[in-house]
Amino acid sequence: MAKIAVLGFGTVGSGVVEVIETNKTSINKRAGDEIEIKYVLDLREFPGNPIQDVLTHDFNDILNDPEVSVVVETMGGLNPAYDFTKRCLLAGKSVCTSNKELVAEHGLELMQIAQDNGVNYLFEASCGGGIPIIRALNSSLTADEIDEITGILNGTTNYILTKMARDGAEFDEALKEAQNNGFAERNPEADIEGLDACRKIAILSSLAYGRDVRWQDIHTEGITKITATDIKYAQSIGCSVKLLATSRKVNNRFYAMVSPALINADNPLYSVQGVFNAVFVHGNVLGDAMFYGSGAGKLPTASAVVADVVDCAKHPHENVMNRWSSKKLDLIDIDDVRSRFFVRVSGSLAGDISNVQEVFGKIEPISIPGVGNEFGFVTEEMSEHEYKEKASKIDNIISMIRARI
Ligand code: HSE
């Protein structure tokens, strides 16, 4: 019997309990052992819920119980999750988590402690919800040198951008709807400012390239400045606007960035709609691969956590994760990253295009029916530095979005 404890009976924690209950027979068969939830830790009471029978308010009940071999950490946030995780691993208990904030901040240290203690620290659910991308990078794509990961890694922002594109809604309205439908957090800052996607691409990149990628080093922009008009322009040239989290090898060095971008139908991420997530991976021998699915939500996330619990039950004394090196991956300065840029400028086409062409060279102006006194254009490929220099010479720029076309 594998006895487990769940820390935190919130959305994901209660999902874990539900998944284990719903698929008990097949999960036990795959684990080769019966999985029993011995404790659920939460500060609250849940009268009438069967979970009340195994509820504890004292973490020490779990820590000091030698029968508990696997702990599920679904508390979220850094504290006390970091302290609890560390103590569980040091006590010889494996830990499975959905906590991307903790993995991005202390994952390497916690993996090391797990390895030193012959147990596991697994975090499949931390990136892409139910999409098995961590396991793919850890054990399926090991023949490859991965040179690019580009993902739509945040369900909330993809839902908002999809809503803006489908209904012509402005950002605030789309965010409100996402919140009303329970997709966005009441405090959605980490999602809409791109931080959540940033932490996820840091974790995936560290695993893929074998070196530590600090989320703080990644240039990150959110979607709060994207307007319905930006999206209309994008649609008029066959593009969608997505929040892309990317890390990529260029001339033997890497860059990493989270930002909104225009992509066209040739890009496999173009049709990823609503709360879905997708991760595009390029390997030097594999070529292209894409992983797509439910990137957020109670049961998809719990599905990934429970798969980790099964892995721990199957490998009680064997560490199964490839820990990445503590050496930092040297990221190139964002100013040296090259791309194309979609730019909107105010003014009339007749009066203002010559100034724009003087700076950016020949451009193809884009006009939108019903949107007056402005036009848009897409630049040739250039570095961020070159773009900034040119843009500083034009004083009527309304907005800029990178164009991956
Ligand atoms: N807030 C996250 C999202 C949840 O919207 O994708 C899943 O990590």
Side-chain angles (χ1 to χ4, degrees):
M1 176 104 61
K3 302 212 178 193
I4 75 166
V6 179
L7 310 183
F9 195 62
T11 306
V12 183
S14 60
V16 167
V17 173
E18 189 178 329
V19 167
I20 290 177
E21 190 48 42
T22 308
N23 291 341
K24 199 186 298 176
T25 312
S26 57
I27 288 171
N28 289 345
K29 204 162 152 197
R30 290 182 185 127
D33 206 346
E34 196 179 324
I35 291 172
E36 185 196 296
I37 299 173
K38 187 165 181 186
Y39 300 98
V40 170
L41 177 78
D42 203 289
L43 292 174
R44 299 163 294 177
E45 297 291 334
F46 300 93
N49 188 320
I51 210 68
Q52 193 72 29
D53 297 342
V54 292
L55 189 70
T56 175
H57 304 305
D58 186 356
F59 169 67
N60 288 311
D61 287 347
I62 295 164
L63 186 67
N64 297 328
D65 186 336
E67 278 194 342
V68 173
S69 57
V70 182
V71 174
V72 167
E73 185 271 294
T74 45
M75 309 177 85
L78 293 183
N79 294 305
Y82 171 57
D83 178 51
F84 286 2
T85 300
K86 203 166 168 173
R87 285 159 75 191
C88 287
L89 294 170
L90 288 166
K93 301 176 194 304
S94 287
V95 177
C96 309
T97 189
S98 56
N99 188 339
K100 56 248 168 155
E101 202 179 337
L102 183 58
V103 178
E105 193 64 47
H106 296 295
L108 187 61
E109 180 200 359
L110 295 169
M111 287 164 88
Q112 178 71 64
I113 297 173
Q115 202 171 46
D116 293 346
N117 287 274
V119 289
N120 283 292
Y121 181 54
L122 302 184
F123 42 87
E124 181 62 74
S126 66
C127 300
I131 304 173
I133 182 64
I134 300 280
R135 204 163 267 103
L137 290 173
N138 188 55
S139 52
S140 307
L141 302 177
T142 47
D144 269 77
E145 294 287 336
I146 306 289
D147 49 39
E148 178 180 350
I149 305 174
T150 296
I152 292 175
L153 294 175
N154 184 268
T156 304
T157 45
N158 205 48
Y159 177 90
I160 292 171
L161 291 171
T162 303
K163 170 91 191 145
M164 290 172 77
R166 280 189 186 154
D167 303 349
E170 285 297 350
F171 173 79
D172 288 340
E173 189 192 328
L175 169 62
K176 218 166 272 160
E177 195 194 291
Q179 285 175 316
N180 290 343
N181 288 330
F183 294 128
E185 318 273 342
R186 287 291 130 196
N187 178 2
E189 197 184 328
D191 293 313
I192 62 179
E193 296 295 353
L195 268 183
D196 180 77
C198 167
R199 292 188 180 112
K200 290 168 177 168
I201 194 70
I203 297 168
L204 294 177
S205 305
S206 299
L207 195 56
Y209 311 134
R211 289 216 174 189
D212 200 31
V213 178
R214 297 275 81 205
W215 65 269
Q216 296 90 336
D217 295 341
I218 298 176
H219 177 89
T220 299
E221 295 171 21
I223 62 162
T224 53
K225 294 193 187 101
I226 302 292
T227 65
T229 307
D230 289 330
I231 293 181
K232 271 192 204 137
Y233 271 101
Q235 288 171 327
S236 79
I237 53 169
C239 290
S240 57
V241 178
K242 298 289 181 194
L243 182 68
L244 298 185
T246 299
S247 63
R248 191 168 178 204
K249 193 176 189 178
V250 183
N251 300 331
N252 275 327
R253 296 191 65 198
F254 287 88
Y255 79 85
M257 184 191 253
V258 175
S259 77
L262 263 66
I263 53 176
N264 62 24
D266 293 340
N267 190 313
L269 297 167
Y270 172 83
S271 314
V272 177
Q273 308 286 5
V275 286
F276 280 91
N277 280 196
V279 191
F280 168 86
V281 177
H282 185 268
N284 67 336
V285 284
L286 163 81
D288 295 345
M290 191 157 102
F291 302 81
Y292 169 84
S294 305
K298 175 174 165 168
L299 293 179
T301 311
S303 156
V305 177
V306 176
D308 279 348
V309 172
V310 169
D311 233 2
C312 289
K314 279 169 76 176
H315 304 98
H317 307 294
E318 185 195 343
N319 187 270
V320 297
M321 280 300 289
N322 295 317
R323 195 171 43 81
W324 58 85
S325 157
S326 58
K327 278 196 184 143
K328 258 172 92 164
L329 186 75
D330 190 18
L331 296 175
I332 59 175
D333 193 318
I334 199 69
D335 272 351
D336 296 331
V337 174
R338 297 179 70 77
S339 85
R340 298 180 75 189
F341 298 84
F342 162 71
V343 187
R344 275 170 64 196
V345 287
S346 61
S348 71
L349 203 49
D352 290 87
I353 193 167
S354 57
N355 180 31
V356 169
Q357 302 221 104
E358 231 165 73
V359 176
F360 281 99
K362 189 156 168 46
I363 53 129
E364 209 55 63
I366 312 160
S367 298
I368 301 292
V371 179
N373 204 35
E374 64 166 87
F375 62 95
F377 64 95
V378 180
T379 70
E380 290 302 312
E381 189 183 289
M382 63 186 75
S383 71
E384 295 266 336
H385 175 72
E386 280 171 279
Y387 170 75
K388 278 184 212 158
E389 213 170 60
K390 288 181 193 295
S392 71
K393 293 180 186 148
I394 297 179
D395 55 17
N396 50 344
I397 289 181
I398 301 170
S399 62
M400 176 279 278
I401 307 175
R402 289 167 189 84
R404 305 272 192 91
I405 51 180

